[in-house]
Structure formats: C-alpha cells, structure tokens
Amino acid sequence: MNKLSFNLKAFVKESVDVLLDPKSYFSKMKTTGGVVEPLIKALIYGALAGIIGFLWYNAGLGSTILLGKAHGFMTIIWFMVIAIVVLFVGGLLLMFISALCKGSNDYEANVRVTAAVMVLMPFSVLLGFVGDLNVIAGVIVSLAINIFSLYIIYFGLTETLKANPTTAKIVIIVLV
C-alpha cells in the first residue's frame, strides 16, 4: 500500500523556483503523478491567502468585495474553496490555451502548471490592500501581478506543455 506523502521542504523550494526562475522550474516539472499534489499546493496557497486576507480584514486594510461579509475563519475557508475552483477551471482554460499553441492537451499536466502559477495567490492578497489606500496604485499593483502571472504561464506553456513559443508569445501578449 502506498502512503500519500507531501514534502513541505520541496513545496517551499518549488514555490521559490517558480517565482525566481520559472523557465528552469517548468523545464524540469513533472507532468504526471495525479492531481493530489497540485490540489494540496492549491489548498496551501489558498489557506495562506485566506490567512493574509483575515489579517488584513481585522487590521482594517482589506476589502470585503470578493468575500462579502465573510470574515474570521470563514475567510480562510473561502479562499481555499476559491483555490480549488481556480485550480480545476484554470486547468481547463490553460488546456484550451495550450491547444491553441499546439501544446499538451493532457488535463493533469495543465492542472499541475496551474497549481504552480497559483504561488502568486497569497502575494495578490498580501498586496491587495494597496487598492484601499489608493485606487490608481491598486490598479498598478494588480496589473503588475497579473502580467507577472502571464510571464510565468508563458514558461509553463513552452517548457512543460511544449507549446509553440511564437504562438504562446502572441497569446500572452493578447492576454496582457
């Protein structure tokens, strides 16, 4: 019987690698092994985002637009639910983009790339309060995070999913 294990040390290293050297990370990323590992990653990123959102809300810095009146422990739960939805729907959307770019149509591989890109979820919430302080600064920060996520997705498409680099570049530029 196989024991399910999750290596937290490897998770932290992979998260840092995605942020600092996405091309190298995605060139070595596993595309098989089931969806449990990406699901755990998404749940951790969602929980971290939820904890940050909870702290910002209680400090009076966070907006409740996304979660309505949810606060306290429910903030963490809601962000974890959002992370699960983003993982599986994002995997479908990425699979569509990958198919456009003549890359992998394997759903699991696309879910794994999506999980890796979700490393930005806690950072997005961490910097989300900027919009409460100044709308223009909030838009700039949000735009920077979204452009960086597309930069990371480009390497996921070309390195892991083996998409055509030229087509992937065009798609990413259109999405920007």
Side-chain angles (χ1 to χ4, degrees):
M1 182 162 110
N2 281 339
K3 270 174 53 174
L4 177 66
S5 66
F6 183 78
N7 187 337
L8 188 60
K9 193 175 187 179
F11 167 78
V12 171
K13 182 186 179 331
E14 289 172 4
S15 296
V16 170
D17 288 347
V18 169
L19 292 169
L20 299 181
D21 192 4
K23 183 176 183 175
S24 175
Y25 172 77
F26 284 115
S27 69
K28 298 181 261 182
M29 188 177 115
K30 293 186 322 178
T31 58
T32 60
V35 295
V36 173
E37 182 183 342
L39 180 59
I40 292 171
K41 282 183 175 184
L43 287 170
I44 291 171
Y45 294 138
L48 289 172
I51 290 167
I52 293 166
F54 169 76
L55 293 173
W56 277 168
Y57 177 81
N58 286 313
L61 295 173
S63 175
T64 59
I65 293 170
L66 179 63
L67 301 176
K69 297 291 182 187
H71 51 78
F73 187 69
M74 282 309 296
T75 303
I76 300 167
I77 299 300
W78 273 114
F79 270 102
M80 291 171 73
V81 169
I82 290 167
I84 293 169
V85 171
V86 167
L87 177 69
F88 292 113
V89 174
L92 281 173
L93 291 172
L94 188 62
M95 190 168 68
F96 174 73
I97 292 170
S98 181
L100 283 175
C101 302
K102 300 192 180 6
S104 174
N105 290 332
D106 180 52
Y107 181 64
E108 180 185 345
N110 283 275
V111 165
R112 287 175 167 273
V113 170
T114 302
V117 175
M118 289 178 71
V119 69
L120 292 172
M121 189 177 188
F123 292 101
S124 181
V125 176
L126 180 68
L127 298 172
F129 76 92
V130 173
D132 291 339
L133 301 176
N134 182 295
V135 175
I136 294 172
V139 169
I140 292 169
V141 167
S142 179
L143 187 59
I145 291 170
N146 288 321
I147 290 172
F148 188 65
S149 71
L150 290 171
Y151 172 77
I152 292 173
I153 289 169
Y154 171 79
F155 290 115
L157 282 167
T158 58
E159 299 297 324
T160 301
L161 302 174
K162 306 302 181 204
N164 178 301
T166 304
T167 310
K169 195 176 291 183
I170 292 168
V171 169
I172 295 299
I173 288 170
V174 168
L175 290 173
V176 167

